Amino acid sequence: MQNWKKILKNSITDSATLAKYLKIDKKEINKVISKYPLRINSYYLSLIKRKKDPIWKQCVPSIQEVRLGLGKRDPLLEEKYSPIEGLIHRYKDRVLLYVSNMCAGYCRFCTRKRQVGTEEKVLKAKDVQKAFRYIASNKKIRDVIISGGDPFVLGDKEIEYYLKNLRKIKHVEIIRVDSRIPATLPQRITPELCKMLKKYSPLYFNTHFNHFQELTKESRRACDMLADSGIIMGNQSVLLAGINDDPKALKKLFEGLLTMRVRPYYMYIPDAVKGTYHFRVSIAKALKIMRELIGHTSGLAIPHLIIDLKHGGGKTPLLPKYIMKRKGRRYVFKNFENKLFYYADVK
Ligand SMILES: *Cc1c(COP(=O)(O)O)cnc(C)c1O
Ligand code: SF4
């Protein structure tokens, strides 16, 4: 068995085993995991340095998941925008394929908390065929995202099956894969996997690091191997209360990612998902954080701050306010150092 499969197989999924490694309240944890499953693999567990540190909070269940009743199962109405099983078509020119509801670990803040890990399953062969036919018959689709769950818990052959069939569709220009595995199980990125992925260039890979404690020797090696295979790496983070809602921590994360050839792409305001309310950060606070980042580090290190509007409103960018006043052609700007500058626009 490959090393990553062993690590995954030996994941902690019950409170008694978890209690051997961490000081936890088993009763509370059991209450949570009867509803939202637990999985922490040994690699990710090894990143925990202290009780309730940013790694702990991302993977160890908290009673708040079941105590606060706020939020919706599916606030973005992904199910409404799913014309067939496993395919979400919210934007005209791109679709998202939900190929597996398994992950290398279950993040407590997951936006697809209603689906991940509950009953472990992958997309059925007949639904996969239906999805390919849907994409092939819809010429407007030029970008396909292979997502989940985490598609990289699948074997190399299964992943290749998606890539090969999507590449056969002429109008599909861009294929993207979304996977948190470089952060949660970097051992999954093997030379064989990279060799296979390389054949399907141009391939965009959006991974998901939330904290600089996730930037390790192993994750750096994984990202290096992917980048060396010609894959264009991006990162999507979620802004999480008590984990990374701090400009200094984010700066360290984003600057670190750049040195790993991973470009910060999006940072999300947490969605209003049931069981994740204790992670939510206000828009005002998020904008304040962006103000402390923009101009204070390389533009390359700054992701777009995104709110995914409820009821399927879609991804929408948020920017701090830089125009303080406008009178006709005369503008007053507040720059990144909070100094005022006048600007006369062209007619
Ligand atoms: C996020 C997402 C996309 C991709 O959006 P981009 O802004 O192009 O990165 C596509 N489909 C769905 C359903 C999504 O949630
Ligand atoms: S890896 Fe992604 S899909 Fe899986 S639990 Fe974490 S956030 Fe959710």
Side-chain angles (χ1 to χ4, degrees):
M1 200 189 278
Q2 285 171 294
N3 188 28
W4 70 270
K5 284 189 180 154
K6 269 187 225 151
I7 298 174
L8 198 56
K9 196 160 170 262
N10 292 327
S11 294
I12 297 170
T13 56
D14 65 274
S15 61
T17 314
L18 188 62
K20 286 189 202 157
Y21 299 93
L22 304 174
K23 226 173 144 222
I24 51 153
D25 181 333
K26 275 196 272 182
K27 241 178 153 174
E28 285 197 346
I29 300 258
N30 282 335
K31 260 190 217 154
V32 179
I33 66 180
S34 64
K35 194 153 184 211
Y36 303 117
L38 165 73
R39 177 183 273 171
I40 308 175
N41 69 54
S42 59
Y43 167 77
Y44 203 69
L45 183 77
S46 77
L47 305 187
I48 297 178
K49 291 194 185 124
R50 294 174 311 277
K51 186 165 183 158
K52 304 220 165 148
D53 76 0
I55 305 294
W56 172 303
K57 286 185 183 167
Q58 290 188 73
C59 65
V60 177
S62 151
I63 193 69
Q64 285 172 291
E65 294 175 42
V66 290
R67 200 169 269 165
L68 290 162
L70 297 169
K72 293 254 159 61
R73 275 178 71 247
D74 179 19
L76 308 180
L77 301 187
E78 288 192 326
E79 288 168 14
K80 178 180 154 191
Y81 289 101
S82 176
I84 47 175
E85 184 72 31
L87 184 145
I88 308 172
H89 196 181
R90 174 64 193 91
Y91 306 95
K92 273 203 182 88
D93 66 338
R94 49 214 196 274
V95 296
L96 185 145
L97 285 178
Y98 187 94
V99 304
S100 148
N101 75 341
M102 295 178 273
C103 302
Y106 295 120
C107 311
R108 308 322 300 173
F109 54 84
C110 182
T111 198
R112 302 211 175 100
K113 209 171 168 83
R114 66 180 189 280
Q115 287 166 305
V116 293
T118 43
E119 181 202 339
E120 302 206 327
K121 58 185 181 204
V122 296
L123 201 55
K124 289 194 196 80
K126 82 171 191 318
D127 291 325
V128 177
Q129 289 310 321
K130 269 194 208 160
F132 290 152
R133 257 180 273 138
Y134 180 91
I135 296 166
S137 64
N138 193 328
K139 289 224 163 61
K140 288 208 177 84
I141 300 171
R142 37 162 287 284
D143 182 352
V144 178
I145 302 160
I146 302 174
S147 182
D150 201 313
F152 282 66
V153 297
L154 304 179
D156 295 3
K157 286 216 175 69
E158 292 158 284
I159 300 169
E160 180 159 25
Y161 183 72
Y162 281 99
L163 296 172
K164 193 184 258 168
N165 281 281
L166 290 170
R167 269 283 168 261
K168 281 189 203 151
I169 305 172
K170 285 263 165 16
H171 54 269
V172 175
E173 296 167 354
I174 300 295
I175 302 176
R176 301 192 231 180
V177 288
D178 274 3
S179 164
R180 184 150 154 73
I181 260 178
T184 51
L185 183 63
Q187 295 80 357
R188 169 67 185 101
I189 308 302
T190 59
E192 301 77 54
L193 175 70
C194 289
K195 201 172 152 206
M196 182 277 282
L197 295 174
K198 195 172 180 171
K199 290 193 283 184
Y200 298 95
S201 175
L203 198 61
Y204 287 76
F205 190 126
N206 271 328
T207 185
H208 177 173
F209 287 88
N210 288 324
H211 195 272
F212 61 82
Q213 245 172 271
E214 293 167 341
L215 307 181
T216 63
K217 200 167 80 254
E218 290 87 350
S219 61
R220 181 175 291 275
R221 185 193 130 273
C223 293
D224 263 340
M225 284 170 67
L226 290 164
D228 283 344
S229 311
I231 293 157
I232 302 141
M233 300 288 294
N235 186 66
Q236 317 201 68
S237 300
V238 187
L239 190 55
L240 298 162
I243 294 175
N244 64 4
D245 57 341
D246 161 51
K248 278 203 203 82
L250 286 172
K251 192 165 173 279
K252 209 166 155 182
L253 168 69
F254 297 147
E255 290 173 355
L257 284 169
L258 280 186
T259 69
M260 290 161 58
R261 287 184 280 174
V262 181
R263 170 85 153 88
Y265 174 53
Y266 282 163
M267 178 164 71
Y268 295 101
I269 301 268
D271 298 326
V273 172
K274 197 168 185 162
T276 69
Y277 256 59
H278 50 299
F279 292 116
R280 295 192 76 201
V281 177
S282 71
I283 291 176
K285 182 159 191 192
L287 288 173
K288 203 160 160 250
I289 290 171
M290 288 304 280
R291 228 191 197 286
E292 289 182 49
L293 291 172
I294 297 171
H296 300 277
T297 181
S298 320
L300 285 171
I302 298 180
H304 298 284
L305 177 64
I306 298 285
I307 180 158
D308 216 334
L309 296 174
K310 275 204 251 186
H311 311 301
K315 293 190 176 78
T316 307
L318 291 167
L319 258 185
K321 196 169 155 187
Y322 290 97
I323 296 175
M324 304 316 286
K325 231 199 250 138
R326 180 191 161 191
K327 207 170 167 195
R329 293 194 295 120
R330 311 235 357 129
Y331 286 82
V332 180
F333 281 92
K334 194 182 195 177
N335 82 340
F336 71 101
E337 290 159 318
N338 296 320
K339 289 186 192 139
L340 297 180
F341 286 82
Y342 294 88
Y343 184 87
D345 205 2
V346 290
K347 266 193 205 138

